Amino acid sequence: MFKYISSRLLASVPIVLFVAIFVFLLSHLAPGDPAALIAGENATPEQIAQIRDRLHLDEPLVTQFGYWFSDILRFDLGNSIFSNRPVTELIAARLEPTLVLTSLTIVLTIFLAVPAGVIAAWKVNSTSDRSIMILSVLGFSVPAFLIGYANMYVFALKLGWFPVQGYANLSDGVLGTLRSVALPAFTITLVFWALVARITRAAMIEILQEGYTRTARAKGLSEGKVLFVHALKNAGVPISTVIGVGIAILISGVVVTESVFNIPGIGRLVVDAITQRDFPVVQGTMIFFSVVLIVVNLLVDLSYVLFDPRIRY
């Protein structure tokens, strides 16, 4: 088990380095002078020169990366070109809305998608199975922004159950916060739910055909115990894997959904930074999201030990 965990931790190191190189090169892939692109069309030569000196753009590319990566290792993501505030400070200020939204989405997805997939596998080829699969195909096919606008029109404008846009801070009350993120969380859940439900169904269909599930039924165990104790635990590896993969989809959905519902989270920060061509903020947020994904996938790999005892040895 220690060897397995150590190998997964070591495997994350080159991934972090590759991501850092890719993010760093983004500002150099666009044609033209990066300093001029950052400064904008109306910038003076003095302003362009200041940006070039500030970002070490006169140095060789390898030297630039050395300066930038050494700052990253010190948790210094640089300063915003336009606000002149540290990028880490900007991310920290926007972290709460994104964290609440993603956490609520993951909880809703697990408690809705996994039971739906189990039921679809249990009642395979039935009306329930077909209905769940139709909903999952629709959820995965319809764009997130379209689902968001539809939910906003029905539940906010017509029924008035939720606010149209905005975010209520946790300091102002948990219920107000949950009410403000309910619609965007439900919007992303429909996309994430479709993926998890389909994989859960496929994994459970295979597990339910195994001999030990038939033995559990023959011993007189209830159908609930057979499904949710014996079968679901053995299907945990592919389900946890797809949840980890789905978090990448979730992050991209957060960027779109926060813009649609005007939530001041990190996704909205990314959109604003791209619009303003604020490359330090774009690079910093991409590094932040990449590290989050690497950590999540590492935790998913480590969770395999809980579902499959053979991995411990």
Side-chain angles (χ1 to χ4, degrees):
M1 180 175 175
F2 177 77
K3 183 179 179 181
Y4 173 77
I5 295 175
S6 301
S7 64
R8 289 297 180 268
L9 290 173
L10 291 175
S12 301
V13 175
I15 297 175
V16 172
L17 183 60
F18 175 79
V19 168
I21 294 173
F22 176 77
V23 172
F24 170 77
L25 291 176
L26 280 179
S27 61
H28 298 272
L29 293 177
D33 184 3
L37 291 174
I38 294 172
E41 298 178 356
N42 300 321
T44 63
E46 291 77 12
Q47 291 173 328
I48 295 176
Q50 288 176 357
I51 292 174
R52 186 178 291 110
D53 180 69
R54 181 177 174 183
L55 299 179
H56 306 284
L57 295 177
D58 289 328
E59 303 284 346
L61 196 62
V62 176
T63 306
Q64 294 178 41
F65 177 76
Y67 280 117
W68 181 77
F69 192 64
S70 62
D71 290 337
I72 296 296
L73 294 178
R74 297 196 302 269
F75 301 99
D76 180 7
L77 300 178
N79 293 335
S80 168
I81 296 294
F82 294 93
S83 66
N84 203 32
R85 294 174 60 190
V87 176
T88 51
E89 183 180 311
L90 294 174
I91 292 175
R94 304 289 191 100
L95 183 60
E96 181 189 302
T98 300
L99 187 60
V100 171
L101 178 57
T102 53
S103 300
L104 182 59
T105 301
I106 292 172
V107 170
L108 286 175
T109 300
I110 292 174
F111 280 95
L112 293 177
V114 174
V118 172
I119 293 172
W122 179 39
K123 300 291 185 180
V124 63
N125 296 326
S126 67
T127 303
S128 301
D129 178 28
R130 295 190 182 95
S131 300
I132 292 172
M133 288 302 99
I134 289 173
L135 289 176
S136 67
V137 170
L138 288 175
F140 206 70
S141 303
V142 180
F145 72 90
L146 186 60
I147 297 175
Y149 283 124
N151 288 337
M152 189 186 300
Y153 177 77
V154 174
F155 296 106
L157 295 178
K158 288 297 183 181
L159 299 177
W161 292 353
F162 303 100
V164 177
Q165 291 182 329
Y167 174 77
N169 293 320
L170 283 172
S171 58
D172 298 329
V174 176
L175 291 179
T177 300
L178 293 178
R179 188 169 179 266
S180 66
V181 299
L183 275 185
F186 181 65
T187 298
I188 311 175
T189 297
L190 287 177
V191 179
F192 197 14
W193 176 91
L195 179 63
V196 176
R198 290 175 67 86
I199 297 299
T200 302
R201 174 184 180 272
M204 287 293 295
I205 288 176
E206 182 179 352
I207 294 297
L208 290 175
Q209 294 174 353
E210 296 290 340
Y212 57 82
T213 54
R214 293 194 295 268
T215 302
R217 288 193 178 101
K219 290 169 63 177
L221 294 179
S222 65
E223 199 65 22
K225 285 187 177 181
V226 172
L227 290 174
F228 290 98
V229 177
H230 291 272
L232 186 58
K233 182 179 179 180
N234 288 280
V237 171
I239 294 172
S240 60
T241 300
V242 77
I243 289 175
V245 172
I247 290 179
I249 301 174
L250 174 61
I251 288 178
S252 63
V254 163
V255 173
V256 176
T257 307
E258 287 184 352
S259 300
V260 171
F261 289 92
N262 195 26
I263 296 177
I266 300 177
R268 183 67 184 273
L269 177 65
V270 173
V271 174
D272 293 341
I274 293 173
T275 304
Q276 297 174 338
R277 289 184 282 194
D278 197 340
F279 278 99
V281 177
V282 174
Q283 289 178 326
T285 51
M286 289 188 67
I287 285 291
F288 173 78
F289 281 136
S290 300
V291 170
V292 168
L293 287 177
I294 290 171
V295 171
V296 167
N297 282 288
L298 178 62
L299 293 176
V300 168
D301 284 346
L302 298 181
S303 71
Y304 293 164
V305 177
L306 300 177
F307 298 116
D308 192 344
R310 293 172 296 180
I311 298 177
R312 301 174 192 171
Y313 306 103

